[in-house]
Amino acid sequence: MTAEALTSPFQSATALEVINLCKSFGALRVLDNISFQLHRGSFHALLGGNGAGKSTLVKCIMGYYHADQGSVLIDNRKREINNTRDAHQHGLGMVYQHFTLVPEMTVLENLVLSRSPIPKIINWQKEKQHLETLMAETPFKIPLHKKASALAAGEKQKVEILKQLFLQPEILILDEPTSVLTPQEADEVLDMLKKWTRSKNLSVLIITHKFREVMNFADDVSILRRGKLAYSGPLAEKTPAMLAELMVGNEEIASTGARELVLKGDIRLDIHQLVASNDSGAVAVDGISLQLHGGEILGIAGVSGNGQRELVQVLSGQRSPDSGDIRVCGEPYTASREEMARHKLYCLPEEPLRNACVPRMNLVENLALRIFDQPRYTRWKWFLNRQALKAHALKLIARYHVRPPELERWIETLSGGNVQRLVLAREISGEVDLLITANPCFGLDFAATAEIRRQLMEARNRGVAVLLVSEDLDELLELSDRIAVIFGGQLRYEAPIAQANMDEMGLKMAGH
Amino acid sequence: MTETVLGWWGVPLAILGGAIRASTPYLFVSLGECLTEKSGRTNLGQEGNLVLGAMTAYAVSYLSGSPWLGVLAAGATGMLLGLLHAWVCQFKKVNDIAVGIALMLFGIGVAFFFGKPYIQPTAPHLPAIGFGNWSDIPQVRAALEINVLFLFGLLLAPLLSWVLSSTRWGLMLRTVGDSSDAADALGFSVNGVRMVATMIGGFLAGVGGAFLSLYYPGSWNEGLSSGQGLIAVALVVFARWDPMRCLYAALLFGGAGALGPALQSVGFSSGYYLFNAAPYVLTLILMIATCSPQRTLTGVPGELSITK
């Protein structure tokens, strides 16, 4: 039977059924009366915006969270699943969104670790042979002796999947397994899972936000919207547009904003043969050269762990380069505070709460980080002008719709989208000549994503030079004027957006 | 006169002998701490365990007449303090370093309190095996008189290494120490594993203390340890959390500690206190030499609060 077959002979039976599941965190109702069925031997996609409750739902099924109400049936029998152990015993396996590999252990050790039970004394020679035979059944090739921390994100994801497959579960749940894979790798993984649903009667429940994957592989689809089930049933005849509408309902989505014709400005950022090491001392940025003009967005695509983080850290002053030359507006640049202010260079890094905020300072203080030493916001040179800072904060919070607008709140108590908006407000509300940004929309919902992309496009239209490092190809294709691919710390591909070839980029991202 | 025959050769010989003698407490404490840190917790209370162990061993040996009973009793007190550390640390927002410091002071205080009556009397010592009895030279015989506990330690290091690499329990321990997320996902009891590891670590530190009071220097007094338990904790970092390297590092530090007495034995007595400070200077030098602002340590268990 081919993997593309839409129907499966096993689909009549129910492998997993969820009935009236409810879950609240404090006053927030995350799951509201969810009921759906996963058919045996089917490939079932679970869709929903960020914060729709997808992860919470599968974690309730796996016993990671305890549901407030409702029940889970496996093979039509009600099961009490209180922890992941119970779940494994009932034939459930799950690939989590965050990696659960032990970083200091080798791939081999990590795979043996998931055996159940782990042998009291381990015969490494035997285990190695056994795992090599099993791996031959899959399209994956992972070096078993490598430490997990030394693997690329895509390889880690594959090990996570292997870990579960070796346990031979009857039901496999995957939480966004393809987010760190190139399109080709994603197809490879999903194709194999699809085949196993047919040949081994595996039932797959997969969380994803990529319609392409849903359309190509899913038999059934369930859609969550703000904790409620919007649809559950066969995929047949649903178009991506219909799925998108089910996901967002009739919410208003801001459009990205048009790309205006802007005269290409002067060279704002000129990087020549930049080399930088990562935390463990290995070379992460391996001789990158690039030029960025005013009024353009240069997109850098790549699977995470290929030097993007280190590149951004060098530019934002969080890491010193080993060698190479960085010039901003023609002048040597060492990422000092004074140079950033003079060249109007700003940064919107990934995970802004960690990389661009002081979590336990309030909104006013966090908004003041770039300006507190400017004459307008100081008194007698050495003292802060609280009034001026407060007025500044109020203005920005209103303009960028940061919620809740309580100035005295610690920033770490804000939601991810609001932290992102606040940092964006701090970084691009003033005069900006050069903006460095990495995964600016990671983990944000539709509306917040659209809002931030619109801001970036507007900045570009104003003549700002934007370096956009992102793992989201759709985002890059939407925003970039030029696009480059980073792999192993080197730029492997560069093209104007009109000539960018998706297939070729995918191959370059995988290092081919 | 054999002393004149040996001359300056007596120095390396004395250092070797001293390395073996003085390294034993370092070895036991660092192996114990290595195990504890591999599970993701730092127990600075090891110094307290060491001192309390020394006092207990001496007292029990004196009262019962059996030094081995003293060693077991010392291990047991270490285990109790380890249990206390693990029990307090399992609660949320408790800092293991702070608890460790508190327990260190507590252990030392208890030892001084109950140890007063045992400063004077002489307790039976642990036996040693004379590997140097073939020789007529007293320095050789002295250097090769090796205590049984050291031999245990010598076997313990490779044993721990093997347990960590090739047994279920070792794998569980390393998982818990490196990523509690992963341990949760696998259904391991994070606190349970850490409790066992901290208790074994405490036991070993207690045994190390027994060596101090029952063999070398071989009596109980309040200045007995002078921070050896803390140095041993630093030594684990230097050994990159590897039991075999803990053994080598312990020998190195033991040798450094023997430098002063060895030089004195050949009549080189100027700067005696300076040479006695060698282990501490060595600690500082190694710590500075092995760290870098640009990179993180390799081999460090991911759950340790110092690295988080």
Side-chain angles (χ1 to χ4, degrees), chain A residues 52-125:
Chain A
K54 296 165 300 186
S55 289
T56 311
L57 174 59
V58 293
K59 280 181 177 164
C60 283
I61 296 174
M62 288 299 292
Y64 217 82
Y65 294 146
H66 196 79
D68 301 337
Q69 196 181 307
S71 44
V72 174
L73 275 62
I74 294 167
D75 285 329
N76 293 318
R77 235 173 287 163
K78 190 174 167 181
R79 297 290 187 188
E80 217 36 68
I81 300 176
N82 291 318
N83 52 49
T84 39
R85 267 266 144 92
D86 292 352
H88 290 303
Q89 261 168 17
H90 295 306
L92 282 164
M94 174 154 172
V95 177
Y96 294 92
Q97 190 175 14
H98 57 267
F99 296 125
T100 58
L101 297 179
V102 185
E104 277 295 316
M105 288 191 188
T106 63
V107 174
L108 179 64
E109 286 173 324
N110 266 296
L111 288 172
V112 170
L113 201 57
S114 61
R115 267 186 65 178
S116 188
I118 304 167
K120 275 213 173 84
I121 290 170
I122 299 150
N123 180 343
W124 288 112
Q125 210 51 43

Side-chain angles (χ1 to χ4, degrees), chain B:
Chain B
M1 286 284 281
T2 45
E3 282 196 26
T4 46
V5 172
L6 273 174
W8 279 89
W9 283 107
V11 175
L13 195 64
I15 290 179
L16 173 75
I20 291 170
R21 257 198 318 272
S23 67
T24 311
Y26 288 130
L27 179 58
F28 275 89
V29 180
S30 64
L31 286 179
E33 182 65 11
C34 181
L35 202 66
T36 309
E37 293 195 12
K38 276 273 183 196
S39 81
R41 277 215 192 109
T42 308
N43 182 6
L44 285 183
Q46 293 289 55
E47 170 77 9
N49 292 349
L50 187 79
V51 175
L52 188 57
M55 191 284 291
T56 312
Y58 202 75
V60 170
S61 172
Y62 171 70
L63 295 174
S64 71
S66 158
W68 292 110
L69 213 57
V71 171
L72 280 183
T77 56
M79 223 157 152
L80 271 179
L81 280 187
L83 175 69
L84 190 59
H85 185 272
W87 182 74
V88 176
C89 286
Q90 71 181 330
F91 299 108
K92 278 211 166 76
K93 295 193 176 171
V94 171
N95 181 297
D96 55 345
I97 306 262
V99 174
I101 292 173
L103 281 180
M104 171 171 88
L105 298 174
F106 175 73
I108 295 173
V110 169
F112 287 3
F113 180 75
F114 288 107
K116 281 272 183 278
Y118 302 103
I119 294 178
Q120 283 301 322
T122 314
H125 276 194
L126 286 165
I129 301 172
F131 285 98
N133 286 350
W134 47 268
S135 169
D136 294 332
I137 307 169
Q139 283 102 324
V140 174
R141 297 176 73 141
L144 292 182
E145 193 166 282
I146 292 171
N147 186 271
V148 183
L149 269 186
F150 176 76
L151 299 178
F152 280 143
L154 210 56
L155 294 177
L156 193 61
L159 180 75
L160 268 184
S161 225
W162 175 79
V163 166
L164 285 174
S165 75
S166 300
T167 64
R168 179 203 299 178
W169 202 79
L171 234 51
M172 268 170 73
L173 182 89
R174 283 158 61 205
T175 308
V176 166
D178 212 22
S179 162
S180 62
D181 271 351
D184 282 338
L186 289 160
F188 297 163
S189 157
V190 173
N191 278 320
V193 171
R194 284 182 183 164
M195 187 171 279
V196 172
T198 315
M199 284 171 72
I200 297 177
F203 180 89
L204 291 178
V207 171
F211 180 90
L212 280 179
S213 62
L214 293 182
Y215 186 73
Y216 180 82
S219 63
W220 158 248
N221 63 66
E222 296 180 353
L224 190 62
S225 147
S226 59
Q228 290 185 45
L230 284 174
I231 291 183
V233 172
L235 201 141
V236 176
V237 179
F238 168 57
R240 293 280 183 278
W241 296 271
D242 175 338
M244 283 313 284
R245 275 187 254 164
C246 281
L247 171 63
Y248 308 139
L251 284 171
L252 182 69
F253 273 74
L259 187 63
L263 284 173
Q264 201 189 27
S265 73
V266 294
F268 188 88
S269 56
S270 59
Y272 175 72
Y273 288 101
L274 199 65
F275 286 112
N276 270 356
Y280 310 100
V281 177
L282 193 64
T283 313
L284 266 177
I285 292 173
L286 286 175
M287 282 297 167
I288 294 167
T290 52
C291 74
S292 153
Q294 293 295 331
R295 60 191 65 174
T296 53
L297 291 173
T298 52
V300 48
E303 287 289 319
L304 281 187
S305 52
I306 49 162
T307 57
K308 262 188 169 174

